[in-house]
């Protein structure tokens, strides 16, 4: 069995569930596996695999399906009951209380896995379960993990700076060539080089209804922070200030539903209201090579909604209303563009 080990550390709280929803959060392999599948599909989309059936077939070769067992095993050894951070402590700053308020909204009272907690992700490939070589399958899985580490996050509010982690050491078979999980140059240069290696040169403008990296842009924020909590507070406060200036129609670009608002975004398609869509904007914290922390912004640019051309917001064309505001927020942060179609 071919195995790679990734020794990680939590940067911002991981608001995860456990076997008992009312108990403490736990590191659980299904949570990581689901996110690896998501980021692998964003990679497949950049390779031109955008049809629903083709996407399911291609992702099943690595992560399995209802009919086919996955050749990949995901383990998180020795981390069933990590140290936790309580909601009042996790929400102890202006930006954190705004971005993560859902963890204590209504009946919620969700603790998180405490920043600084070490954990290990172990990826193994069972040769008999795959038509491809174990080396190819393991490398594909590692590429998905790199994308999860640098662009994504784990758990609730992972699109809003929660659930960030870094990989401090990799134990990987020598025969595999994979992107570096620790910046070897200034973060902008390191990420640009890795993304150029990971993502192919394809027709990235192909219309699609799925989020994929052939229709996405990635920025690295210019500010460096000495702590993750300080970074989240500053970015979260500026996000709140910017979002408060927008109409509900413009706020749609940050996801649906809009929990608060006065002017009522009326999002309609074929006479039916559109109620829910995850934000196309991921904001995460990454550790730079100097031990400081930088924000990374990933904005997916595919169709925000299926048949977006038929959608109207307050009578206006959907694409003209929501997209510019989302991009403007990132550019106001003075961020450096490191990848774009």
């Amino acid at each position: 069995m071919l195995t790679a080990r990734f020794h990680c550390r939590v940067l911002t709280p991981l608001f995860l569930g456990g076997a008992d929803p009312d108990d403490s959060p736990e590191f659980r392999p299904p949570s990581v596996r689901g996110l690896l599948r998501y980021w692998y599909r964003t990679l497949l989309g950049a390779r031109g695999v955008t049809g629903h059936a083709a996407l399911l077939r291609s992702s099943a070769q690595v992560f399995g399906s209802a009919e086919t067992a996955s050749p990949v095993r995901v383990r998180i050894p020795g981390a069933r009951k990590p140290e936790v951070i309580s909601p009042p402590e996790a929400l102890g700053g202006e930006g954190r209380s705004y971005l993560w308020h859902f963890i204590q909204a209504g009946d919620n009272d969700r603790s998180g896995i405490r920043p600084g907690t070490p954990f290990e992700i172990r990826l193994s490939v069972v040769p008999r379960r795959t038509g491809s070589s174990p080396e190819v399958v393991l490398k594909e899985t590692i590429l998905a993990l790199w994308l999860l580490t640098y662009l994504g996050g784990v758990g609730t509010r992972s699109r809003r700076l929660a659930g960030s982690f870094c990989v401090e050491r990799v134990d990987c078979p020598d025969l595999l060539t994979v992107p570096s999980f620790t910046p070897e140059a200034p973060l902008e240069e390191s990420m640009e080089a890795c993304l150029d290696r990971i993502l192919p040169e394809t027709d990235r403008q192909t219309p699609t209804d799925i989020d994929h990296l052939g229709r996405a842009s990635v920025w690295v924020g210019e500010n460096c922070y000495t702590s993750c909590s300080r970074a989240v507070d500053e970015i979260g406060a500026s996000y709140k200030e910017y979002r408060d200036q927008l109409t509900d129609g413009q706020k749609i670009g940050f996801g649906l539903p809009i929990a608060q608002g006065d002017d009522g975004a009326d999002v309609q398609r074929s006479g039916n209201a559109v109620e829910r869509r995850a934000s196309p904007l991921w904001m995460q914290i990454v550790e730079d090579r100097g031990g400081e922390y930088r924000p990374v912004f990933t904005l997916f640019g595919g169709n925000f909604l299926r048949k977006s051309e038929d959608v109207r917001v307050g009578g206006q064309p959907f694409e003209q209303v929501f997209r510019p505001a989302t991009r403007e927020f990132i550019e106001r942060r003075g961020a450096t563009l490191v990848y774009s179609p």
Side-chain angles (χ1 to χ4, degrees), residues 11-13 90 92-96 99-100 115 161 223-238 285 292-295 333:
L11 297 181
T12 59
E94 180 183 0
R96 284 170 284 169
L99 292 174
W100 303 342
L161 302 173
N223 291 339
C224 300
Y225 300 91
T226 56
S227 73
C228 291
S229 58
R230 186 174 178 182
V232 177
D233 280 337
E234 197 277 331
I235 296 165
S238 67
I285 299 293
E292 295 182 306
Y293 302 97
R294 308 277 299 277
R333 302 285 317 159

Side-chain angles (χ1 to χ4, degrees), residues 109-172:
D109 189 28
R110 176 165 290 188
S111 300
I113 297 175
R114 183 175 291 278
T117 300
F119 66 99
E120 178 186 331
I121 297 175
R122 190 174 298 177
L123 303 176
S124 303
V125 175
V126 182
R128 66 181 181 274
R129 290 184 181 175
T130 176
S132 303
S133 71
E135 292 83 4
V136 169
V137 173
L138 182 57
K139 183 175 181 179
E140 294 286 270
T141 310
I142 292 172
L143 293 181
L145 179 60
W146 190 95
L147 294 171
L148 170 61
T149 304
Y150 275 88
L151 307 185
V154 180
T156 298
R157 305 308 286 166
S158 56
R159 295 176 193 244
R160 293 297 178 262
L161 302 173
S164 301
F165 66 95
C166 65
V167 175
E168 298 184 306
R169 192 177 88 245
V170 178
D171 299 326
C172 191

Side-chain angles (χ1 to χ4, degrees), residues 108-331:
N108 292 333
D109 189 28
R110 176 165 290 188
S111 300
I113 297 175
R114 183 175 291 278
T117 300
F119 66 99
E120 178 186 331
I121 297 175
R122 190 174 298 177
L123 303 176
S124 303
V125 175
V126 182
R128 66 181 181 274
R129 290 184 181 175
T130 176
S132 303
S133 71
E135 292 83 4
V136 169
V137 173
L138 182 57
K139 183 175 181 179
E140 294 286 270
T141 310
I142 292 172
L143 293 181
L145 179 60
W146 190 95
L147 294 171
L148 170 61
T149 304
Y150 275 88
L151 307 185
V154 180
T156 298
R157 305 308 286 166
S158 56
R159 295 176 193 244
R160 293 297 178 262
L161 302 173
S164 301
F165 66 95
C166 65
V167 175
E168 298 184 306
R169 192 177 88 245
V170 178
D171 299 326
C172 191
D174 293 337
L175 53 95
L176 292 183
T177 302
V178 297
S180 175
F181 278 80
T182 54
E184 300 172 344
L187 187 58
E188 295 91 339
E189 297 177 20
S190 180
M191 287 193 62
E192 184 173 12
C194 287
L195 287 167
D196 282 345
R197 284 180 56 194
I198 292 172
L199 299 172
E201 289 293 333
T202 61
D203 180 8
R204 295 169 176 169
Q205 297 301 322
T206 304
T208 175
D209 290 329
I210 67 166
D211 288 339
H212 72 73
L213 289 165
R215 297 290 302 276
S217 298
V218 180
W219 292 261
V220 174
E222 72 173 341
N223 291 339
C224 300
Y225 300 91
T226 56
S227 73
C228 291
S229 58
R230 186 174 178 182
V232 177
D233 280 337
E234 197 277 331
I235 296 165
S238 67
Y239 178 70
K240 179 181 185 302
E241 180 182 5
Y242 178 77
R243 205 168 181 274
D244 286 346
Q245 299 171 6
L246 303 178
T247 67
D248 278 5
Q250 292 170 320
K251 291 175 185 176
I252 291 170
F254 296 103
L256 287 170
I258 299 171
Q260 297 176 337
D262 298 324
D263 55 344
D266 182 23
V267 186
Q268 297 284 329
R269 179 177 56 218
S270 302
N272 297 316
V274 179
E275 297 180 352
R276 184 169 293 277
R277 169 60 158 91
S279 174
L281 172 64
W282 288 76
M283 302 192 293
Q284 270 309 326
I285 299 293
V286 171
E287 188 173 52
D288 207 343
R289 61 175 182 169
E292 295 182 306
Y293 302 97
R294 308 277 299 277
V296 171
F297 306 95
T298 303
L299 179 61
F300 288 102
N303 295 339
F304 183 72
L305 296 170
R306 290 181 182 272
K307 298 182 179 179
S308 292
E309 66 276 9
D310 296 333
V311 179
R312 295 290 183 270
V313 182
Q316 293 181 281
F318 178 75
E319 291 287 336
Q320 295 179 19
V321 173
F322 93 98
R323 197 177 298 277
T326 316
R327 192 180 187 99
E328 183 185 41
F329 167 73
I330 301 169
E331 293 173 345

Side-chain angles (χ1 to χ4, degrees), residues 13-54:
L14 274 61
F15 300 113
L16 294 168
D20 181 352
D22 296 324
D23 203 353
S24 298
E26 298 176 0
F27 287 110
R28 302 182 70 216
S31 300
V32 175
R33 174 182 287 277
L35 288 163
L36 290 176
R37 185 193 299 269
Y38 170 85
W39 286 102
Y40 186 57
R41 287 178 176 177
T42 71
L43 174 59
L44 290 174
R47 293 173 177 172
V49 184
T50 57
H52 181 70

